């Protein structure tokens, strides 16, 4: 659709000109900003936060990524099975040595549960159960004449996956340490 200014322009100069304009007055083919344009400045400060475009495809990154191919090992069973009877004394020993005589403090116990879980995980990794992913959880709570039941449900392979658990309690606190071992085929 031609507007009157464009018709007048076309009549005076002819239709062979290359200076046709859009409805907004821009020449045809001129670059218009888009919502999807990646700004020139990749990272900029906005107050105390930093906005990163790390997930955006980089236009200046021309190197090709090498695709890694892994071959199957066809090893369905672990070389050494995870044994809960070896892990339970480790959990019990760590809980007893670190929690004996302690009183409940919410902030201290939240930090302590993280450090105990990390310590248990490191001791379990020393036993070198190959091809097992281990998850360690330690729950610490206050005893106030209440009943507590801790449970967990997972979907796993009963032949290869296993868990070990131990508990501790004194006059003021209770703790439960659990290590889950999931075989990674």
């Amino acid at each position: 659709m031609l507007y009157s200014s464009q018709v007048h322009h076309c009549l005076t100069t002819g239709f062979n000109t290359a200076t046709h304009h859009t409805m907004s007055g821009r020449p045809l083919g001129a670059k218009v900003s888009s919502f999807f344009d990646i700004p020139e400045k990749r990272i900029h400060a906005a107050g105390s936060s930093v906005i990163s475009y790390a997930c955006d495809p980089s236009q200046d990154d021309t190197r090709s990524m090498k695709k890694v191919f892994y071959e199957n090992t066809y090893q369905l069973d672990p070389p050494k099975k995870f044994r809960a009877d070896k892990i339970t004394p480790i959990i019990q020993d760590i809980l007893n040595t670190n929690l004996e005589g302690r009183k409940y403090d919410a902030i201290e116990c939240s930090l302590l549960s993280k450090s105990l879980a990390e310590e248990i995980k490191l001791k379990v990794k020393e036993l070198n159960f190959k091809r097992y992913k281990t998850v360690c959880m330690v729950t610490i709570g206050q005893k106030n004449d209440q009943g507590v039941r801790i449970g967990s449900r997972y979907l796993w392979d009963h032949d290869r996956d296993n868990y070990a658990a131990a508990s501790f309690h004194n006059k003021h606190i209770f703790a439960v340490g659990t290590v889950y071992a999931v075989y990674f085929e």
Side-chain angles (χ1 to χ4, degrees), residues 110-123:
S110 68
L111 296 173
L112 186 61
S113 67
K114 291 177 188 176
S115 66
L116 290 178
E118 187 66 29
E119 186 178 345
I120 292 170
K121 185 176 75 170
L122 291 175
K123 292 276 186 176

Side-chain angles (χ1 to χ4, degrees), residues 20-86:
H20 293 288
H21 296 324
T22 61
M23 290 174 46
S24 62
R26 289 189 194 97
L28 286 175
K31 180 157 174 63
V32 179
S33 68
S34 169
F35 177 74
F36 299 104
D37 285 346
I38 299 173
E40 292 296 322
K41 192 174 184 181
R42 302 300 273 174
I43 298 175
H44 57 82
S48 62
S49 301
V50 175
I51 298 172
S52 173
Y53 296 99
C55 295
D56 287 347
S58 177
Q59 294 175 351
D60 55 11
D61 191 13
T62 58
R63 60 190 162 117
S64 63
M65 301 298 286
K66 292 183 180 179
K67 191 168 184 177
V68 178
F69 294 100
Y70 293 103
E71 296 208 13
N72 290 335
T73 61
Y74 301 105
Q75 184 176 358
L76 298 178
D77 288 324
K80 181 169 76 168
K81 286 198 173 203
F82 183 84
R83 296 191 43 198
D85 60 326
K86 288 190 174 189

Side-chain angles (χ1 to χ4, degrees), residues 12 15-16 24 66 74 87 94 113 119 124 133 139 166 177:
T12 57
F15 283 101
N16 296 342
S24 62
K66 292 183 180 179
Y74 301 105
I87 305 302
I94 290 174
S113 67
E119 186 178 345
V124 169
K133 303 264 184 188
T139 304

Side-chain angles (χ1 to χ4, degrees), residues 3-16:
Y3 291 98
S4 62
S5 64
Q6 291 173 327
V7 170
H8 176 71
H9 177 72
C10 291
L11 290 177
T12 57
T13 59
F15 283 101
N16 296 342

